[in-house]
Amino acid sequence: MTKILLSYNIDNNSPYYIGTTKPSITPNTQIENGDDYNSYIINVFNHCGTHVDAPRHFISGAKEISEYDIVELSFNNPLIIDCKKSPGKLITVEDIKTTDLTGFDCILFKTGLEKYREEDLDMYLTQNPGVSPDTIHWIRKNYQNIRCIGIDCISMARYDDAEIAKKTHITAFKIDESYGEPLLFIEDMKLEKVGSDQTINNLMIVPWQIKGIDSAPCTVIVDLG
């Protein structure tokens, strides 16, 4: 098995969702300046870079990311789905309804927009595909074994479409007796190294360990078969 990361490093030039805070990583003490040790001040919006959204992101009083234990953040049957989408287009039920999702616990959507993260940042930030609320509903209704969805875009929701964005997230996070457990969302993933024909034996999310926040930047580790 081969272990790889499906998450990006965060630096001063990392993409960040429009309207939020630019990441800032600045030297504090530095040996080259005569200090005894190196240290840094990190100022990062908690949805910057590869990050995991927990239900509290859109639902007051719901579960925050630090309340998940390592078992809940581990997935033994992930599936990557090649779902190439034109910029700004939503992933619909039609795109995935012929795929048998039985037995899988995490779905990763590979839209192809990832290439624009380096080539065309404006495209990456403003023309990302998203997942329709109906698709999230269909997954939760029919495949209650699925506990997490990831995507190679800045957000699971299409840019500048606040109503759809809200509905997509709330559909994923709300508690409903006809659904399974609320989903987790992993956004801004690095999926180029994984082919749709490859088997992912295990996926683990390691969020920043900060209590009291809805969601957090994270490291995503997978074992490829």
Side-chain angles (χ1 to χ4, degrees):
M1 290 190 295
T2 302
K3 289 185 184 293
I4 66 171
L5 295 178
L6 300 186
S7 46
Y8 292 100
N9 291 329
I10 294 177
D11 59 32
N12 288 329
N13 296 312
S14 291
Y16 60 99
Y17 200 76
I18 294 172
T20 64
T21 303
K22 185 181 189 302
S24 173
I25 303 169
T26 56
N28 182 35
T29 56
Q30 296 288 287
I31 294 172
E32 64 181 27
N33 294 334
D35 297 311
D36 290 337
Y37 55 89
N38 292 320
S39 64
Y40 293 81
I41 296 171
I42 302 171
N43 182 21
V44 176
F45 178 61
N46 73 320
H47 292 263
C48 181
T50 306
H51 61 278
V52 55
D53 286 352
R56 191 170 293 193
H57 184 32
F58 268 79
I59 299 179
S60 179
K63 200 167 182 176
E64 64 186 51
I65 193 58
S66 68
E67 293 173 324
Y68 282 80
D69 64 35
I70 196 64
V71 173
E72 295 174 296
L73 298 172
S74 298
F75 303 88
N76 295 319
N77 294 290
L79 176 67
I80 187 162
I81 299 178
D82 242 328
C83 196
K84 294 293 188 290
K85 300 300 290 186
S86 300
K89 298 298 182 181
L90 293 174
I91 295 172
T92 67
V93 175
E94 291 295 316
D95 292 317
I96 63 170
K97 70 178 184 180
T98 59
T99 302
D100 185 4
L101 303 180
T102 304
F104 295 104
D105 53 9
C106 178
I107 304 300
L108 306 178
F109 286 120
K110 190 175 182 179
T111 70
L113 199 83
E114 178 176 349
K115 65 182 181 181
Y116 294 112
R117 201 178 192 270
E118 296 294 333
E119 295 177 6
D120 187 338
L121 184 57
D122 183 68
M123 174 77 79
Y124 189 74
L125 295 178
T126 65
Q127 297 297 316
N128 65 292
V131 182
S132 75
D134 288 344
T135 303
I136 300 299
H137 166 76
W138 184 82
I139 290 172
R140 291 197 69 189
K141 188 80 172 177
N142 295 291
Y143 295 97
Q144 298 186 10
N145 45 291
I146 293 172
R147 299 183 288 114
C148 179
I149 296 177
I151 198 166
D152 59 349
C153 299
I154 193 74
S155 174
M156 200 67 66
R158 187 168 55 191
Y159 174 71
D160 207 23
D161 196 343
E163 193 57 39
I164 292 293
K166 181 178 179 180
K167 191 172 181 182
T168 291
H169 284 81
I170 288 177
T171 304
F173 299 148
K174 69 182 179 180
I175 293 175
D176 187 308
E177 63 182 16
S178 67
Y179 290 161
E181 290 295 312
L183 298 176
L184 291 167
F185 278 169
I186 316 172
E187 299 173 321
D188 197 17
M189 295 190 74
K190 184 195 294 186
L191 300 180
E192 62 181 355
K193 295 181 180 179
V194 186
S196 57
D197 59 341
Q198 288 185 281
T199 300
I200 303 175
N201 296 311
N202 176 267
L203 181 148
M204 181 177 290
I205 306 169
V206 186
W208 288 10
Q209 300 298 291
I210 302 175
K211 192 171 182 178
I213 61 175
D214 61 294
S215 313
C218 64
T219 299
V220 182
I221 306 165
V222 295
D223 285 323
L224 296 181

